[in-house]
């Protein structure tokens, strides 16, 4: 069924009136806690002032991962869950750098990713989308940045999926990225989208980022130099923590 373009865009068009007063993020880059077109945020966002926790309650050590803790194939979802064959779908390679606010590489940082399979389904009991699971694919990976702050992810391009936020709502293809700092409480979560995906203009999670340039930082770039001939397409996705070029990160909805 062809979506009603006028109806859908009217429902989720990113206007300032959709962002409740006092909920917009500093710098208008990160998405707000409360963005009414994203209906789950209305239920999960705090409606009262937050209570700061004392330092000792939030300062937990770790993660401390040496190179022996990360298996050689942990970064490759086409291999790390293989049971009796290869996962189904379009193979992709994603490379990028993790940078601080001054553009300096962040070395030895733990990055975790998770995603739907090629049919648009997660291996999770709450995902009841009528799409097949892939017995050779979990969609999870982890990796450490190298001395240049670079990471490498090999995976399957995730499919779009319906998510019930509004009428005929579909999430664009995306990969979740989690970046850990010096402790488990220092964690940033973002999403990577693919260039040219028409569903981005209908997605309230993507459109919930107030700044257009901020949204553009979540869209990977096709990079022919990263492709592996006759095997996988390549994309580049850099992650910047802080500063004017910061990558938009998800707010904690509790």
């Amino acid at each position: 069924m062809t979506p009603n373009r006028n109806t859908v865009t009217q429902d989720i068009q990113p206007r300032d009136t959709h962002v409740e007063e006092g909920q917009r993020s500093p710098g208008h880059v990160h998405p707000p806690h409360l963005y009414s077109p994203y209906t789950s945020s209305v239920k999960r966002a705090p409606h009262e002032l937050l209570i700061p926790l004392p330092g000792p309650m939030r300062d937990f050590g770790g993660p401390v991962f040496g190179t022996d803790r990360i298996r050689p194939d942990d970064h490759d979802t086409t291999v790390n869950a293989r049971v009796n064959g290869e996962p189904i779908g379009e193979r992709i390679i994603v490379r990028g750098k993790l940078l601080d606010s001054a553009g300096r590489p962040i070395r030895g940082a733990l990055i975790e990713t998770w995603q739907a399979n090629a049919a648009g389904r997660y291996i999770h009991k709450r995902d009841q989308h009528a799409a097949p699971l892939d017995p050779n694919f979990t969609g999870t990976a982890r990796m450490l940045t190298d001395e240049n702050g670079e990471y490498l992810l090999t995976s399957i391009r995730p499919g779009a999926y319906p998510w019930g936020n509004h009428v005929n709502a579909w999430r664009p293809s995306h990969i979740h990225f989690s970046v850990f700092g010096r402790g488990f409480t220092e964690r940033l979560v973002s999403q990577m989208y693919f260039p040219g995906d028409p569903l981005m203009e209908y997605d309230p999670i993507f459109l919930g980022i107030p700044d257009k340039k901020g949204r553009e930082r979540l869209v990977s770039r096709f990079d022919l130099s990263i492709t592996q001939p006759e095997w996988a397409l390549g994309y580049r996705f850099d992650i910047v923590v802080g500063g004017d070029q910061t990558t938009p990160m998800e707010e904690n909805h509790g």
Side-chain angles (χ1 to χ4, degrees):
M1 179 181 295
T2 303
N4 185 321
R5 181 183 179 91
N6 294 331
T7 300
V8 174
T9 53
Q10 182 178 2
D11 287 343
I12 64 175
Q13 185 176 2
R15 298 183 303 179
D16 289 343
T17 54
H18 283 158
V19 182
E20 280 68 7
E21 190 67 28
Q23 296 291 338
R24 188 182 289 279
S25 302
H28 294 190
V29 176
H30 302 300
H33 289 287
L34 184 57
Y35 181 65
S36 56
Y38 179 15
T39 57
S40 293
S41 73
V42 178
K43 300 176 182 179
R44 296 184 295 185
H47 292 267
E48 303 292 339
L49 293 177
L50 300 180
I51 301 174
L53 294 176
M57 295 183 65
R58 64 172 183 267
D59 293 336
F60 298 100
V64 182
F65 288 90
T67 55
D68 61 328
R69 301 289 186 93
I70 302 291
R71 297 180 303 176
D73 61 358
D74 276 356
H75 72 287
D76 188 344
T77 68
T78 70
V79 174
N80 63 23
R82 185 182 298 180
V83 177
N84 55 10
E86 295 191 13
I88 297 173
E90 176 187 323
R91 290 182 290 257
I92 60 172
I93 298 171
V94 182
R95 285 186 178 272
K97 288 187 176 182
L98 180 63
L99 305 170
D100 66 14
S101 58
R104 296 169 298 199
I106 301 177
R107 305 175 181 89
L110 174 65
I111 296 178
E112 296 179 340
T113 65
W114 64 97
Q115 62 173 90
N117 65 19
R121 186 170 178 183
Y122 291 93
I123 297 182
H124 194 284
K125 63 182 180 180
R126 294 184 60 184
D127 188 346
Q128 297 300 311
H129 174 31
L133 291 172
D134 189 331
N136 297 298
F137 184 83
T138 63
T140 59
R142 62 177 185 161
M143 62 222 75
L144 294 174
T145 57
D146 65 15
E147 289 301 308
N148 296 315
E150 296 183 344
Y151 71 88
L152 169 65
L153 168 67
T154 303
S155 193
I156 298 294
R157 177 163 175 157
Y161 57 84
W163 63 302
N165 183 77
H166 53 275
V167 176
N168 199 24
W170 290 80
R171 291 246 47 221
S173 298
H174 62 281
I175 299 176
H176 298 268
F177 277 74
S178 168
V179 179
F180 284 95
R182 293 167 296 178
F184 283 110
T185 56
E186 297 179 349
R187 184 191 187 206
L188 298 173
V189 178
S190 189
Q191 299 185 25
M192 184 200 89
Y193 298 87
F194 292 84
D197 192 329
L199 289 173
M200 286 188 289
E201 65 178 287
Y202 302 109
D203 182 53
I205 295 180
F206 179 73
L207 296 177
I209 300 165
D211 181 58
K212 181 179 178 181
K213 291 184 178 179
R215 293 195 293 270
E216 292 173 350
R217 294 179 202 133
L218 293 183
V219 182
S220 60
R221 302 191 330 269
F222 173 74
D223 191 330
L224 189 65
S225 67
I226 297 176
T227 62
Q228 184 171 331
E230 301 181 16
W231 194 81
L233 295 180
Y235 296 88
R236 179 163 296 279
F237 182 63
D238 295 334
I239 302 172
V240 181
V241 180
D244 294 338
Q245 300 300 313
T246 185
T247 301
M249 302 290 176
E250 297 176 7
E251 297 283 3
N252 182 11
H253 289 146

